[in-house]
Amino acid sequence: MYSTQPAGPHHDNQGFQHDTGRPPSYNQVQGMYPAVSQWSPQPVDTRSTTVTQAVRRKEPKSGVNCKYVLCGLAAFVLIALVVGVLIWYFAFYQDTTGKSCQSGKDLSASQWCDGVKDCQRGEDESQCLRLYGTNFVLQSFSAASQTWRPVCAERWSDNYSRASCKQMGYSSTEYMSYTQTGAGSLGTGGYSSLKPGLESGGLIQSYLTDSQTCTSNNVVSLRCIDCGVSETGTSTRIVGGTPAVSGAWPWQVSLQYKQHFCGGTIISKDWILTAAHCFPEPSDPSTLSVYYGGILLSQMFTRASVQRIIVHEDYNTDTDANDVALLRLRSPLTFTQDVRPACLPNVGVNLNPERQAWTTGWGTLRSDGPSPNNLMQAEVTIYSRDRCNQPEILNQRVTETMICAGKLAGGVDSCQGDSGGPLVAKEGGVWWLAGDTSWGFGCALRNKPGVYGNVTYFTNWVYKQMQMRF
């Protein structure tokens, strides 16, 4: 997509508006941002949010003008106070109370993920299972050791698998299968093993106990959903891109209010992931339609209704941080060769920078240019955050909630109307959703790669929203 340099960064489209037609176009270890950490389960945040109209990014304000000596003294005193408070907090308060429920109730660290719901809303037991790596190894968080451990496959069954997937947020109708795989280095810290004589029916962690060994050395590999599968290879390559063929990107959807205004990605039968800035103001979900299963906008007749629009509670219109949203569909999709989900990134999946990825959408072919009828695709390079934040590129605008991808030489990029659509990368034989199209300087300009929401960073938030329906 070709363009001239605009005055400042902009979103790739204006977003959803009522009573209008098509919105007018306008101008972590150092890995993919951030590096995946061994996070501990956190409380679920159920606060409602109000999203305001997206605005242009503001430049940082200059510092306060004061005498050097007084400023230095004040800074020293302030730093000393902060350090003192932090030492007190972590040395005393943290050790004695562990974590707190949303209601304010204090729990010890050992009460999180112990199989007993001690918080009124159950947030202490909501983030206790996860999938690891391209083998989809099931891991459970150990309350005793405060570490993630692979689940030993001995005496495991489909019943436990279905219960685990439901607990993570997937519908039981999406369940695919489980297999056994070698533990490898994941087992060096011990395992989570089934207690003898128990049948599934409650929280999975209540049936697990810490074990230093797993007799078979095999652990559970769990596929909760048949994701990341494309029947058609990427033999052709959005500006600087080419038309996609049917079935190549079966997770791509078009969000429409009378006409296409944003893209999105199928992540399950009930959920679409898109960008927060597509909804710059609270919107009635009943007026929004999700079209799917095709590549030609003029011939997309299959649509789904939206039950709820969930915008990230920390989305910031000034910095564009946390530019992600979820759409909860009224009725589940039926998966076919042309309708399938992309995989949410598992912990440990290698989506590091300097790798190739693909971006797709029905956005304009150049800045303020015409929109295509055919879905377009382009191969881009994911760059490190440090490289993107160099002064001549994006000058410190890329935060940990973002990734940047494109071609520094220019000529290939997403553009206006692509917002919310997928950036996917293939690893271990499946396609992972690395980003959602967010903002950029023009389209396909030299040293101005596109910026995407960092789905790896958002994965825990996504699962929390998916779990809240159960």
Side-chain angles (χ1 to χ4, degrees):
M1 292 176 265
Y2 311 98
S3 172
T4 56
Q5 178 75 45
H10 63 278
H11 296 116
D12 286 332
N13 71 305
Q14 184 177 1
F16 179 71
Q17 302 286 339
H18 289 287
D19 303 321
T20 61
R22 185 187 183 94
S25 298
Y26 67 92
N27 295 9
Q28 287 189 340
V29 183
Q30 194 63 36
M32 198 174 81
Y33 342 88
V36 178
S37 61
Q38 293 289 320
W39 57 273
S40 298
Q42 298 295 320
V44 177
D45 190 345
T46 57
R47 295 174 295 170
S48 60
T49 61
T50 300
V51 181
T52 56
Q53 175 65 44
V55 295
R56 285 176 180 251
R57 194 186 294 272
K58 296 180 180 178
E59 295 297 328
K61 295 181 179 180
S62 59
V64 177
N65 183 20
C66 64
K67 299 294 184 180
Y68 294 121
V69 175
L70 291 178
C71 284
L73 180 61
F76 176 80
V77 172
L78 179 61
I79 291 172
L81 287 173
V82 171
V83 170
V85 170
L86 288 175
I87 291 175
W88 170 82
Y89 179 79
F90 286 104
F92 299 100
Y93 184 76
Q94 282 285 78
D95 287 347
T96 58
T97 64
K99 301 176 183 179
S100 297
C101 304
Q102 284 180 282
S103 63
K105 178 182 178 181
D106 291 334
L107 302 179
S108 65
S110 63
Q111 288 177 283
W112 287 77
C113 297
D114 63 353
V116 179
K117 290 186 178 181
D118 296 295
C119 293
Q120 183 177 4
R121 296 181 179 179
E123 60 266 29
D124 57 314
E125 304 297 324
S126 67
Q127 295 283 293
C128 302
L129 299 175
R130 73 181 188 185
L131 300 175
Y132 186 94
T134 57
N135 285 336
F136 295 83
V137 172
L138 178 63
Q139 292 184 316
S140 174
F141 188 79
S142 166
S145 65
Q146 295 291 292
T147 58
W148 286 96
R149 297 187 169 204
V151 175
C152 181
E154 293 167 12
R155 297 184 295 107
W156 194 260
S157 69
D158 277 320
N159 287 338
Y160 291 116
S161 294
R162 291 181 185 276
S164 298
C165 290
K166 183 176 180 180
Q167 193 170 315
M168 282 187 281
Y170 290 102
S171 167
S172 58
T173 62
E174 294 174 319
Y175 172 68
M176 184 180 173
S177 64
Y178 91 92
T179 57
Q180 299 185 17
T181 188
S185 61
L186 292 179
T188 56
Y191 301 84
S192 290
S193 300
L194 283 172
K195 298 175 183 177
L198 294 177
E199 295 295 330
S200 62
L203 295 171
I204 290 298
Q205 56 266 32
S206 66
Y207 300 100
L208 298 173
T209 186
D210 286 354
S211 174
Q212 288 305 308
T213 61
C214 177
T215 304
S216 65
N217 288 324
N218 287 331
V219 294
V220 176
S221 174
L222 180 58
R223 295 298 299 269
C224 291
I225 189 171
D226 187 14
C227 63
V229 178
S230 171
E231 297 293 340
T232 306
T234 53
S235 57
T236 56
R237 301 192 310 167
I238 268 184
V239 179
T242 56
V245 297
S246 180
W249 314 107
W251 40 81
Q252 173 81 52
V253 302
S254 168
L255 307 187
Q256 298 190 19
Y257 170 69
K258 298 182 180 178
Q259 296 188 54
H260 170 86
F261 69 93
C262 264
T265 305
I266 299 170
I267 57 172
S268 84
K269 291 183 176 181
D270 298 301
W271 294 94
I272 306 297
L273 188 146
T274 186
H277 79 262
C278 290
F279 306 96
E281 60 184 24
S283 304
D284 180 1
S286 66
T287 62
L288 174 64
S289 294
V290 176
Y291 284 81
Y292 60 94
I295 58 173
L296 300 178
L297 282 178
S298 61
Q299 297 180 19
M300 292 184 71
F301 306 115
T302 309
R303 70 183 185 91
S305 299
V306 178
Q307 182 180 55
R308 188 180 176 202
I309 301 171
I310 306 172
V311 172
H312 197 291
E313 61 274 12
D314 293 325
Y315 170 56
N316 188 312
T317 58
D318 291 333
T319 65
D320 294 303
N322 299 297
D323 191 6
V324 66
L326 288 173
L327 306 180
R328 174 74 161 90
L329 302 180
R330 290 191 177 277
S331 301
L333 302 175
T334 299
F335 288 162
T336 66
Q337 177 176 317
D338 296 326
V339 183
R340 286 181 173 172
C343 292
L344 289 172
N346 291 342
V347 176
V349 171
N350 177 16
L351 295 178
N352 288 333
E354 305 304 328
R355 65 170 298 129
Q356 298 307 109
W358 289 79
T359 181
T360 54
W362 288 279
T364 57
L365 299 179
R366 61 178 183 274
S367 187
D368 295 324
S371 298
N373 183 42
N374 200 112
L375 179 68
M376 302 296 287
Q377 60 187 24
E379 188 176 26
V380 294
T381 301
I382 296 176
Y383 298 109
S384 71
R385 192 164 73 245
D386 283 347
R387 190 172 188 186
C388 293
N389 278 330
Q390 291 175 359
E392 69 277 12
I393 301 179
L394 295 176
N395 195 24
Q396 303 302 315
R397 296 181 184 272
V398 180
T399 72
E400 63 181 356
T401 73
M402 309 169 191
I403 61 177
C404 82
K407 297 294 182 183
L408 293 182
V412 180
D413 200 2
S414 54
C415 204
Q416 298 141 5
D418 288 322
S419 281
L423 175 73
V424 294
K426 196 171 187 178
E427 184 73 20
V430 298
W431 290 93
W432 305 90
L433 182 59
D436 64 278
T437 305
S438 183
W439 62 273
F441 287 90
C443 303
L445 298 176
R446 179 178 175 81
N447 280 337
K448 293 294 179 280
V451 182
Y452 300 78
N454 183 3
V455 177
T456 297
Y457 185 89
F458 300 138
T459 300
N460 294 336
W461 178 84
V462 172
Y463 279 123
K464 287 178 184 179
Q465 312 312 312
M466 292 171 63
Q467 291 167 11
M468 287 171 61
R469 63 178 173 166
F470 295 114

